[in-house]
Amino acid sequence: MTQQKINVTIWNEYRHEKKNPVVGEIYPQGMHAAIAEGLSVQGEIKFATLDDAEHGLSEEVLNNTDVLIWWGHLAHGEVQDEIVERVYNRVLHGMGLIVLHSGHFSKIFRKLMGTSCDLKWREADEKERIWVVNPAHPIAAGIGEYIELPAEEMYGEHFDIPQPDDLVMVSWFEGGEVFRSGCCYNRGAGKVFYFRPGHETYPTYYNPQVRKVIDNAVKWAAPVGSEYPKYGHAKTPLEPIKGAK
Amino acid sequence: MTQQKINVTIWNEYRHEKKNPVVGEIYPQGMHAAIAEGLSVQGEIKFATLDDAEHGLSEEVLNNTDVLIWWGHLAHGEVQDEIVERVYNRVLHGMGLIVLHSGHFSKIFRKLMGTSCDLKWREADEKERIWVVNPAHPIAAGIGEYIELPAEEMYGEHFDIPQPDDLVMVSWFEGGEVFRSGCCYNRGAGKVFYFRPGHETYPTYYNPQVRKVIDNAVKWAAPVGSEYPKYGHAKTPLEPIKGAK
Amino acid sequence: MTQQKINVTIWNEYRHEKKNPVVGEIYPQGMHAAIAEGLSVQGEIKFATLDDAEHGLSEEVLNNTDVLIWWGHLAHGEVQDEIVERVYNRVLHGMGLIVLHSGHFSKIFRKLMGTSCDLKWREADEKERIWVVNPAHPIAAGIGEYIELPAEEMYGEHFDIPQPDDLVMVSWFEGGEVFRSGCCYNRGAGKVFYFRPGHETYPTYYNPQVRKVIDNAVKWAAPVGSEYPKYGHAKTPLEPIKGAK
Amino acid sequence: MTQQKINVTIWNEYRHEKKNPVVGEIYPQGMHAAIAEGLSVQGEIKFATLDDAEHGLSEEVLNNTDVLIWWGHLAHGEVQDEIVERVYNRVLHGMGLIVLHSGHFSKIFRKLMGTSCDLKWREADEKERIWVVNPAHPIAAGIGEYIELPAEEMYGEHFDIPQPDDLVMVSWFEGGEVFRSGCCYNRGAGKVFYFRPGHETYPTYYNPQVRKVIDNAVKWAAPVGSEYPKYGHAKTPLEPIKGAK
């Protein structure tokens, strides 16, 4: 497949890497840098982090972003509501959004889902095997039957999300749980993909299959370029109305 | 089918009926009274309105409500955020919610959908024909092929909602539009049904088929009585983990 | 919840029980008898087996059946096409169908799904844990968070089914696989539920939670009593057509 | 968007054009030729018709087809079951399938859907307006809010199909009906799109928006190139099983 030009912005909370030497050693340039390395899309790749002005998500940046990738964990509460609203509006107007791992609890994901997005979790260095349950979906392209991660944080059901428009992957965990790990949604003119793996203390974003999923997801989530629908008062009917006064 | 005991609270903004004589004549006791007349469920039926203390939706009322019906239009902005949050939490914990007509723009519906819930509209006394597209669904029981309303407000696509878990009805409008009119969603442990018709200047809630849909929807949306899932730290794995420290 | 009157027919291939002493000991009256014991619905419960005339599924039996439960394995090929067609037509006209375990490969399930319904399998006495992923669904009522079966046959993804209209349960297997174990579909005016567990060499159909799921599924799948839609030539338009000759 | 190389085969019954002078005049080279003109995809475009040997759908042709477009009407019964089975297997293995208009009653579509695919119809030169209900979907790209066709055959609900994985378009008809006109499904590793318009007596396949939808659908339905899943006996577990004999 030839490559489309897609402008990607990778938003990273970027706190763990600076605070926790374990994380800093795995991701010396930040998780965003590792995620960026895995992208094959043509187009600009930009970074934005929590501590940037406007969290790096100015109107201009967002208007020039086709797909936004989101990783956050410690500091969801520090993301300003005004910026959340801005991202939300861009998604409804067509921008793709890829939410990774602990981003399940971000303000933007919860706002777009309309549910608590709560789940079970455990940090126990356990094995995860992410099974493809929809091989026809473009996000599953080239992944094979499953991705095996030797150690990850566990996320378990019930995951309090709306039923996905397309469920692409389901995780098996060594400790006995399952999880809907690859979930697609349409919201307005935009697309949203949630992808489970990526706890900060593991080198998950160097895994070639994990990178392939994110790269596929970016292509899938890129705006299709439809004109935004007209809403509001449609005063003039398209057809004559008999009873009209 | 035998009847379940379901406690229903009907929330009505209850302003049009008092301000606009046309509406007051059609619904002298308020739209909530007309909606209540159509319910066949056993159980208590309570009313709650915008101008009641806590909008009539105290913790106690909500905790004793199995299904909440919502009609609002003029004054969505006057509904306090705290009460919206309360209703939202009850839905996620299992309470059913039936959102009627202009309730599409209520805070609670927008919050549960995660989208703008915008649409096209027109007041032109035009004919609406609501077609059943899912005859297997319990909300369509006993409706027949369609409901014909001689005059209604038009709501037209694009309706900015997430794709319904089940789409039960689609409207045809005389003026040339279509609309997804009966939309089912699961949110947490609760169920949400959006039903389009019911502009305040028409006697729509006296229509026997419209009443049947609302009555069916109440039964469908009643809590199934599942234990609420446990979320959070699942420290002890269900199975032994080899690599665990 | 009060009980509806629902007539249930349980179809069992009924060969393993007679051929294999292990199975015969677990299910001395046949698996159908054990399944019947678990049903709380009011109404008639009938049995039908492969070796009955017309496989026990005469026009009369099917016309008086609200929900048909299906267990088959060894002899899918012996089920006559004419009877499959008869069951298929009854489903499209409103009869519920619950397909259990190895019934995934039955002619009737494959015909209703439109896919191969293939999967991975292994007989290794392994633990299965069936997680509820949709606590709002009536089929999950009263199950709690999961069902644990100490030993079952493994069924693994990819399971070649259409994406379920509602996915209610996902299985974890000790050997490393996951499986979409509780899958809801609408087909015509009828409903179909696939439920994974029930290998003949295990006492699975005595498990109270498994029985509860089947009982819930019967209630969910019972016909809603809608009039069957009219198909074909709709010669007379409902509205005037300008260009009509 | 840059173009992918996609090999398309357009299957046309090709009888109306030869029998009916009205149709022959509109589509002198056959409907397949008009459909082909609208495709922008790079790759080979082949034609296949009912009266060709093997209906033009040899193993070799199908194995080299990425997306198959299907138009049939008069002679669904003449399509050999063996060829239907061949097409079916190719879809489950990844080939895209676009079913047009009266193809709703083709053997292949009914087999993939698992339902009767019945509907209402009327030939009365009536206006159709096809509304986009999912502007985020790639099949809707560049269409705008709706497609207006001055005269078409009417197809009306209830359309007896499984609920689409994605519903992209809904038609309004002058005579009072609605119809789910653009319906997406995954089947196995393949994708299926049903698109309503295209009665043989109207020049519908010259309409630029109709052509755009078909072109978009071809791109959407092209195989994603996933490895076909392994099914059957998974004898060796991926993880150790305690109870295993």
Side-chain angles (χ1 to χ4, degrees):
Chain A
M1 197 189 295
T2 49
Q3 290 168 13
Q4 301 170 241
K5 191 176 172 311
I6 301 171
N7 293 328
V8 179
T9 300
I10 304 175
W11 191 89
N12 185 9
E13 191 178 278
Y14 201 27
R15 291 270 177 89
H16 286 291
E17 296 94 325
K18 292 184 279 190
K19 281 186 181 175
N20 181 341
V22 174
V23 181
E25 198 166 319
I26 300 172
Y27 296 111
Q29 314 300 321
M31 274 183 277
H32 47 286
I35 292 165
E37 277 175 27
L39 299 181
S40 77
V41 286
Q42 295 182 332
E44 281 183 87
I45 297 177
K46 284 186 182 145
F47 299 130
T49 70
L50 181 62
D51 295 318
D52 293 340
E54 303 182 67
H55 312 316
L57 300 172
S58 66
E59 290 278 3
E60 201 198 330
V61 165
L62 283 176
N63 289 340
N64 288 297
T65 298
D66 294 311
V67 180
L68 178 65
I69 297 176
W70 193 279
W71 197 103
H73 182 212
L74 287 177
H76 294 313
E78 291 182 45
V79 179
Q80 299 166 54
D81 289 342
E82 188 193 334
I83 308 295
V84 173
E85 201 66 27
R86 194 184 283 169
V87 173
Y88 174 75
N89 283 320
R90 271 291 292 144
V91 171
L92 297 190
H93 283 75
M95 183 181 73
L97 178 70
I98 315 291
V99 176
L100 295 174
H101 188 63
S102 42
H104 75 91
F105 252 170
S106 61
K107 289 181 181 178
I108 182 62
F109 189 60
R110 295 172 76 161
K111 187 171 173 69
L112 284 160
M113 294 295 104
T115 56
S116 76
C117 301
D118 212 342
L119 47 73
K120 289 191 174 65
W121 60 272
R122 179 173 56 235
E123 296 186 49
D125 289 346
E126 68 195 276
K127 190 187 284 188
E128 174 178 16
R129 189 177 289 107
I130 306 172
W131 288 91
V132 170
V133 300
N134 187 344
H137 201 281
I139 292 182
I143 301 305
E145 296 206 305
Y146 58 80
I147 302 172
E148 197 173 299
L149 298 171
E152 254 289 351
E153 184 182 4
M154 184 282 292
Y155 277 7
E157 296 283 348
H158 177 244
F159 184 19
D160 187 19
I161 47 169
Q163 173 153 296
D165 293 337
D166 282 295
L167 176 65
V168 183
M169 284 170 269
V170 171
S171 286
W172 175 99
F173 284 97
E174 196 181 352
E177 283 88 358
V178 297
F179 195 75
R180 288 169 292 168
S181 275
C183 300
C184 299
Y185 298 91
N186 287 359
R187 287 292 181 270
K191 296 198 195 73
V192 179
F193 182 64
Y194 175 79
F195 188 41
R196 200 214 74 83
H199 191 60
E200 66 273 6
T201 60
Y202 306 108
T204 298
Y205 295 124
Y206 296 101
N207 179 293
Q209 286 168 296
V210 167
R211 288 180 162 191
K212 177 77 173 145
V213 169
I214 297 172
D215 195 45
N216 287 342
V218 166
K219 288 168 187 164
W220 169 82
V224 300
S226 286
E227 196 187 336
Y228 193 66
K230 286 176 209 78
Y231 297 106
H233 198 179
K235 197 178 176 183
T236 311
L238 300 162
E239 303 292 330
I241 294 170
K242 271 173 289 181
K245 298 161 198 173
Chain B
M1 196 187 296
T2 48
Q3 289 168 13
Q4 300 171 243
K5 189 176 172 312
I6 301 171
N7 292 329
V8 179
T9 300
I10 304 175
W11 191 89
N12 184 9
E13 192 179 277
Y14 200 27
R15 292 269 176 90
H16 286 290
E17 297 94 327
K18 292 183 280 189
K19 280 184 181 177
N20 181 341
V22 174
V23 182
E25 198 168 320
I26 301 173
Y27 297 111
Q29 315 299 324
M31 274 184 277
H32 47 285
I35 292 167
E37 276 174 28
L39 299 181
S40 76
V41 286
Q42 296 181 331
E44 283 183 86
I45 297 177
K46 284 184 182 146
F47 299 130
T49 70
L50 180 62
D51 295 318
D52 294 339
E54 301 181 70
H55 311 318
L57 299 172
S58 66
E59 289 277 5
E60 201 198 330
V61 165
L62 283 176
N63 289 340
N64 289 298
T65 298
D66 295 312
V67 180
L68 178 65
I69 298 176
W70 192 280
W71 197 101
H73 182 212
L74 286 177
H76 295 312
E78 291 181 46
V79 179
Q80 298 166 55
D81 289 342
E82 189 194 334
I83 307 295
V84 173
E85 200 65 27
R86 194 183 283 168
V87 172
Y88 174 75
N89 283 320
R90 270 291 293 145
V91 171
L92 296 191
H93 282 74
M95 184 182 72
L97 179 69
I98 315 292
V99 176
L100 296 174
H101 188 62
S102 43
H104 76 91
F105 251 170
S106 61
K107 288 181 181 177
I108 182 61
F109 189 60
R110 296 172 76 162
K111 187 172 173 71
L112 284 160
M113 294 296 103
T115 55
S116 75
C117 301
D118 213 341
L119 46 73
K120 287 190 176 63
W121 59 274
R122 179 174 56 236
E123 297 186 48
D125 289 346
E126 68 195 278
K127 190 189 282 187
E128 175 178 14
R129 188 177 289 106
I130 306 172
W131 287 91
V132 170
V133 300
N134 187 345
H137 201 282
I139 293 182
I143 302 305
E145 296 207 305
Y146 57 80
I147 302 171
E148 198 173 298
L149 298 171
E152 254 289 350
E153 185 182 4
M154 185 282 292
Y155 277 7
E157 296 282 349
H158 176 245
F159 183 19
D160 187 20
I161 47 169
Q163 172 154 297
D165 293 338
D166 282 295
L167 177 65
V168 183
M169 283 169 270
V170 171
S171 286
W172 175 98
F173 284 97
E174 196 181 354
E177 284 88 358
V178 298
F179 195 74
R180 287 169 292 167
S181 276
C183 300
C184 299
Y185 298 91
N186 288 358
R187 288 291 181 267
K191 297 197 194 73
V192 179
F193 181 63
Y194 175 79
F195 187 41
R196 199 215 75 82
H199 191 60
E200 67 273 5
T201 59
Y202 305 109
T204 299
Y205 295 125
Y206 295 102
N207 179 294
Q209 285 168 297
V210 167
R211 288 180 161 190
K212 177 76 173 147
V213 169
I214 297 172
D215 194 46
N216 287 342
V218 166
K219 289 167 186 163
W220 169 82
V224 300
S226 286
E227 196 187 338
Y228 194 67
K230 287 176 208 76
Y231 297 107
H233 197 180
K235 197 178 176 183
T236 310
L238 300 162
E239 304 292 331
I241 295 170
K242 270 173 291 183
K245 295 162 200 172
Chain C
M1 195 188 299
T2 49
Q3 289 168 16
Q4 302 169 244
K5 191 176 172 309
I6 301 172
N7 292 328
V8 179
T9 300
I10 304 175
W11 192 89
N12 184 9
E13 191 179 280
Y14 200 28
R15 291 271 176 87
H16 286 290
E17 296 93 328
K18 291 183 281 189
K19 279 184 179 174
N20 181 340
V22 174
V23 182
E25 199 167 319
I26 301 172
Y27 295 112
Q29 315 299 322
M31 273 183 278
H32 47 285
I35 292 166
E37 276 174 27
L39 298 182
S40 77
V41 286
Q42 295 181 331
E44 283 183 87
I45 297 177
K46 285 186 181 146
F47 298 130
T49 70
L50 181 63
D51 295 319
D52 294 339
E54 302 181 69
H55 312 317
L57 299 172
S58 65
E59 290 276 5
E60 202 199 330
V61 165
L62 284 176
N63 288 341
N64 289 298
T65 298
D66 294 312
V67 180
L68 178 66
I69 297 177
W70 192 278
W71 197 101
H73 181 214
L74 286 176
H76 294 312
E78 292 181 45
V79 179
Q80 298 166 54
D81 289 342
E82 189 194 335
I83 307 295
V84 173
E85 200 66 26
R86 195 183 281 168
V87 173
Y88 174 76
N89 283 319
R90 271 290 293 146
V91 171
L92 296 190
H93 283 75
M95 183 181 74
L97 178 70
I98 315 292
V99 175
L100 296 174
H101 190 62
S102 43
H104 75 91
F105 252 170
S106 61
K107 288 180 180 178
I108 182 61
F109 189 61
R110 296 172 76 162
K111 187 172 175 70
L112 284 160
M113 294 296 104
T115 55
S116 75
C117 301
D118 212 341
L119 47 73
K120 289 191 174 62
W121 60 272
R122 178 173 59 236
E123 297 186 48
D125 289 345
E126 68 194 277
K127 190 188 282 188
E128 175 177 16
R129 188 176 290 107
I130 306 172
W131 287 92
V132 170
V133 300
N134 186 345
H137 201 280
I139 292 182
I143 301 305
E145 296 208 305
Y146 57 80
I147 302 171
E148 196 174 300
L149 299 171
E152 253 290 350
E153 185 182 2
M154 184 282 292
Y155 278 6
E157 295 283 347
H158 175 243
F159 183 19
D160 186 19
I161 47 170
Q163 173 153 297
D165 293 338
D166 283 296
L167 177 65
V168 183
M169 284 170 269
V170 171
S171 287
W172 175 98
F173 284 98
E174 195 181 354
E177 283 88 358
V178 297
F179 195 74
R180 288 169 291 167
S181 275
C183 300
C184 299
Y185 298 92
N186 287 0
R187 288 291 181 268
K191 296 198 195 71
V192 179
F193 182 64
Y194 175 79
F195 187 41
R196 198 214 76 82
H199 190 60
E200 67 273 5
T201 60
Y202 305 109
T204 299
Y205 295 124
Y206 295 102
N207 179 294
Q209 285 167 297
V210 167
R211 287 180 163 189
K212 177 75 171 147
V213 170
I214 297 173
D215 195 45
N216 287 343
V218 165
K219 288 167 187 163
W220 170 82
V224 299
S226 286
E227 196 187 337
Y228 194 67
K230 286 177 210 78
Y231 297 106
H233 197 179
K235 198 177 176 184
T236 310
L238 300 161
E239 303 292 329
I241 294 169
K242 271 173 289 182
K245 298 161 196 174
Chain D
M1 197 187 296
T2 49
Q3 290 167 15
Q4 301 171 243
K5 192 180 170 309
I6 301 171
N7 292 327
V8 179
T9 300
I10 305 174
W11 192 89
N12 184 8
E13 192 178 279
Y14 201 27
R15 291 270 176 88
H16 287 290
E17 296 94 326
K18 291 183 281 189
K19 279 186 180 173
N20 181 341
V22 173
V23 182
E25 198 167 318
I26 300 172
Y27 295 112
Q29 315 299 322
M31 273 183 279
H32 47 285
I35 292 166
E37 276 175 27
L39 300 181
S40 76
V41 287
Q42 294 182 331
E44 282 183 87
I45 297 176
K46 284 186 181 147
F47 298 131
T49 69
L50 181 62
D51 295 319
D52 293 339
E54 302 181 69
H55 310 318
L57 299 172
S58 66
E59 290 277 4
E60 202 198 331
V61 166
L62 283 175
N63 288 340
N64 289 297
T65 298
D66 294 312
V67 180
L68 178 65
I69 297 176
W70 193 279
W71 198 102
H73 181 212
L74 286 176
H76 294 312
E78 292 181 44
V79 179
Q80 299 167 53
D81 290 341
E82 188 194 335
I83 307 295
V84 173
E85 200 66 27
R86 194 184 282 169
V87 173
Y88 174 75
N89 283 320
R90 271 291 291 145
V91 171
L92 296 190
H93 282 74
M95 184 181 73
L97 179 70
I98 316 291
V99 175
L100 296 174
H101 189 62
S102 44
H104 75 90
F105 252 172
S106 62
K107 289 180 180 177
I108 182 62
F109 189 60
R110 296 172 76 161
K111 187 173 174 70
L112 284 161
M113 293 297 104
T115 55
S116 75
C117 301
D118 212 342
L119 47 72
K120 289 190 175 64
W121 61 273
R122 177 172 60 237
E123 296 185 49
D125 290 345
E126 69 194 276
K127 190 189 283 189
E128 174 177 16
R129 187 176 290 106
I130 306 172
W131 287 90
V132 170
V133 300
N134 186 344
H137 201 281
I139 292 182
I143 302 305
E145 297 207 304
Y146 58 80
I147 302 171
E148 197 173 299
L149 299 170
E152 253 289 351
E153 184 181 4
M154 184 282 292
Y155 278 8
E157 296 283 347
H158 177 244
F159 183 19
D160 186 19
I161 47 170
Q163 173 152 297
D165 293 337
D166 283 296
L167 177 65
V168 184
M169 284 170 270
V170 171
S171 287
W172 176 98
F173 284 97
E174 196 181 352
E177 283 88 357
V178 297
F179 195 74
R180 287 169 292 168
S181 276
C183 300
C184 298
Y185 298 92
N186 286 0
R187 288 290 182 268
K191 296 197 195 73
V192 179
F193 181 64
Y194 175 78
F195 187 41
R196 200 214 75 82
H199 191 60
E200 67 272 5
T201 60
Y202 305 109
T204 298
Y205 295 125
Y206 295 101
N207 179 294
Q209 285 168 296
V210 167
R211 286 181 164 188
K212 178 77 173 144
V213 169
I214 297 172
D215 195 44
N216 286 343
V218 164
K219 288 168 187 163
W220 170 83
V224 298
S226 286
E227 197 187 336
Y228 193 67
K230 287 177 208 78
Y231 297 107
H233 197 178
K235 198 178 174 183
T236 309
L238 299 162
E239 303 293 330
I241 294 169
K242 272 173 288 182
K245 298 161 195 172

